[in-house]
Amino acid sequence: MKKIIFTDKAPAPIGPYSQAILTGNTLYTSGQIALHPKTGELITSDIETETKQVMENMKAVLDAAEMDFNNVIKATIFISNMGDFAKINSVYSAYFNEETAPARETVQVACLPKNVNVEISMIAVL
């Protein structure tokens, strides 16, 4: 059985998908981009600020499922420019304890929704 996770503290989906699905003790999040949840404005002034907004959106989704970054076991980062990897990683790493950080891959892609520079999805467990 699956439970739809939704919070107005993260951007509403921009298509036919849910912010996250909880099935059993596992949470599968949809990718988050740097949309401000209240204004709908894209936050793309610089890659660090953009990544921080993505992580804050993800934090809100995890919170709606009564989880936090300690529950995350896998993350996927999609970026439009591998040259931004170090800056994205610097912001991302602030949300995790390095000793217990989740598994992760980072992939450069040709284009992301709304032409953003970074999108992150996660899998978490209770």
Side-chain angles (χ1 to χ4, degrees):
M1 176 169 251
K2 68 180 183 180
K3 177 181 177 185
I4 306 298
I5 302 299
F6 177 82
T7 178
D8 62 3
K9 294 178 181 171
I14 56 175
Y17 61 89
S18 300
Q19 291 171 329
I21 299 290
L22 181 65
T23 181
N25 68 340
T26 305
L27 181 74
Y28 300 89
T29 74
S30 292
Q32 287 293 317
I33 62 174
L35 280 172
H36 189 280
K38 300 294 182 207
T39 66
E41 174 187 0
L42 273 174
I43 309 298
T44 57
S45 55
D46 60 75
I47 195 63
E48 292 95 339
T49 304
E50 184 174 352
T51 304
K52 182 171 176 41
Q53 184 64 55
V54 170
M55 294 300 288
E56 289 299 311
N57 291 345
M58 188 59 68
K59 182 178 178 181
V61 172
L62 290 167
D63 186 57
E66 299 180 0
M67 295 188 193
D68 60 33
F69 289 107
N70 291 315
N71 297 99
V72 176
I73 60 168
K74 178 76 186 305
T76 302
I77 303 175
F78 301 98
I79 61 178
S80 62
N81 179 357
M82 196 56 79
D84 288 333
F85 177 81
K87 293 176 182 178
I88 291 167
N89 198 51
S90 176
V91 174
Y92 171 94
S93 67
Y95 289 83
F96 293 99
N97 176 333
E98 189 172 329
E99 295 171 4
T100 60
R104 181 184 87 183
E105 65 262 332
T106 303
V107 181
Q108 180 174 317
V109 296
C111 188
L112 289 164
K114 296 189 174 279
N115 294 312
V116 297
N117 300 297
V118 60
E119 179 176 4
I120 301 174
S121 65
M122 296 181 179
I123 299 171
V125 294
L126 289 172

